[in-house]
Amino acid sequence: MSGNDTMNMNVGFIGAGKMAEALISGILKNGMCTPERIIAADVSRERLEYMKTTFGIRTTDTNHEAAQMADVLFIAVKPHLAVEAVREVAHELAGVLVVSIAAGVTLEILEEAVGKDIAVVRVMPNTPALVGCGMAALAAGTHADDGAIQTVRRIMEAVGEAVVVAEDKMDAVTAVSGSGPAYIYLVIEAMADGGVRAGLPRDVALRLAAKTAMGAAHMVLETGEHPGRLKDNVTSPGGTTIEAMATLEKNGVRGAFIEAVEKAYLRAKEMGS
């Protein structure tokens, strides 16, 4: 399936959680297909009712129905349930493009679970997809051609941006962008706490911190400048920013972030094995 065929595709989801919700919302907002071409399966009747009411899609409590309808099937359950879910519907996947967003579940494991020459693509999304600002990485399985990658990339770009990487880089992706939002939330919370300590109302401090983090990220992406140079541009001699930078360096913030990413990477590798 090519990226140009997405208007005619049927998209299935095994798992109707928040990431499935984000993707369905993005698919519909971008006119990639109509609600009747989307089906979501889940064990939670409450969740299925919400998805049906909110988006007008088809819902089911059986994974088989989702697999039978789908041209593209997202495996959107918790990692420890992903392989079992794939095995359950493996005999119904002829001609289906299988897309896993289960962290740590390798292409080798997924391809072994489908048990045939099925196109499989592994995706590492992140939670800002829920607000249309996601960052996803895609890795192609043995039988996933350029058309399959193009299709998945277009879907993921409905909720943000996507890059294609070799699968051996996916654990590093998980450590940087998969877990990364939590690092930034911690920074925003700490900055806001500092503002409150300096006398700002909590709501004002939090908005200042969050908008500053968003603006700084936008500057990096839009200008193409190295973040170190952008930092230098706002660091005047003897000023407030250099005082803050010296304090952050003294407390090992840079090293702590590097180590945090490394630890997340090692944990991702451990989960994958």
Side-chain angles (χ1 to χ4, degrees):
M1 178 184 294
S2 72
N4 294 327
D5 294 330
T6 47
M7 283 291 291
N8 299 316
M9 69 183 175
N10 295 318
V11 185
F13 289 84
I14 293 180
K18 288 295 185 181
M19 193 57 67
E21 179 181 344
L23 289 170
I24 290 168
S25 177
I27 289 169
L28 294 175
K29 284 180 180 177
N30 283 270
M32 299 179 72
C33 66
T34 54
E36 59 268 20
R37 285 185 173 273
I38 300 176
I39 184 168
D42 203 279
V43 295
S44 169
R45 291 186 178 181
E46 180 181 353
R47 190 64 188 163
L48 292 177
E49 183 61 31
Y50 170 80
M51 298 291 269
K52 184 176 183 179
T53 302
T54 303
F55 300 112
I57 65 171
R58 296 175 58 178
T59 59
T60 177
D61 60 0
T62 70
N63 294 340
H64 295 285
E65 188 176 351
Q68 289 164 3
M69 175 182 163
D71 298 310
V72 180
L73 181 66
F74 278 84
I75 309 302
V77 294
K78 297 293 185 184
H80 69 282
L81 300 174
V83 174
E84 180 183 346
V86 172
R87 285 178 178 154
E88 180 185 348
V89 299
H91 64 287
E92 295 161 325
L93 296 178
V96 176
L97 170 55
V98 177
V99 184
S100 171
I101 61 173
V105 182
T106 66
L107 286 168
E108 181 181 4
I109 291 172
L110 292 165
E111 289 179 334
E112 182 181 349
V114 297
K116 54 178 77 69
D117 296 342
I118 300 297
V120 179
V121 175
R122 180 181 169 191
V123 178
M124 183 67 240
N126 66 8
T127 55
L130 295 166
V131 292
C133 292
M135 188 66 238
L138 287 57
T142 306
H143 306 289
D145 59 16
D146 289 343
I149 284 292
Q150 186 180 358
T151 295
V152 179
R153 185 169 190 164
R154 188 175 176 207
I155 293 172
M156 298 312 300
E157 287 177 344
V159 292
E161 295 187 29
V163 296
V164 179
V165 301
E167 195 194 13
D168 64 4
K169 301 297 187 289
M170 288 295 270
D171 291 329
V173 169
T174 300
V176 176
S177 62
S179 299
Y183 315 156
I184 306 305
Y185 299 146
L186 183 65
V187 169
I188 291 170
E189 182 185 29
M191 288 175 64
D193 284 346
V196 171
R197 187 178 186 184
L200 289 172
R202 170 66 63 180
D203 59 335
V204 173
L206 187 57
R207 186 163 187 82
L208 287 170
K211 290 289 286 186
T212 298
M214 184 171 70
H218 195 65
M219 283 282 287
V220 171
L221 295 173
E222 289 299 309
T223 66
E225 292 277 7
H226 189 281
R229 181 179 293 274
L230 292 172
K231 180 262 294 178
D232 289 348
N233 289 344
V234 295
T235 307
S236 303
T240 59
T241 307
I242 191 61
E243 190 71 21
M245 290 296 102
T247 301
L248 292 172
E249 293 290 358
K250 179 182 177 182
N251 286 278
V253 170
R254 186 195 303 264
F257 271 100
I258 293 171
E259 185 176 356
V261 172
E262 181 184 21
K263 291 292 187 182
Y265 164 72
L266 293 173
R267 178 57 178 151
K269 286 183 69 67
E270 182 182 325
M271 290 172 63
S273 63

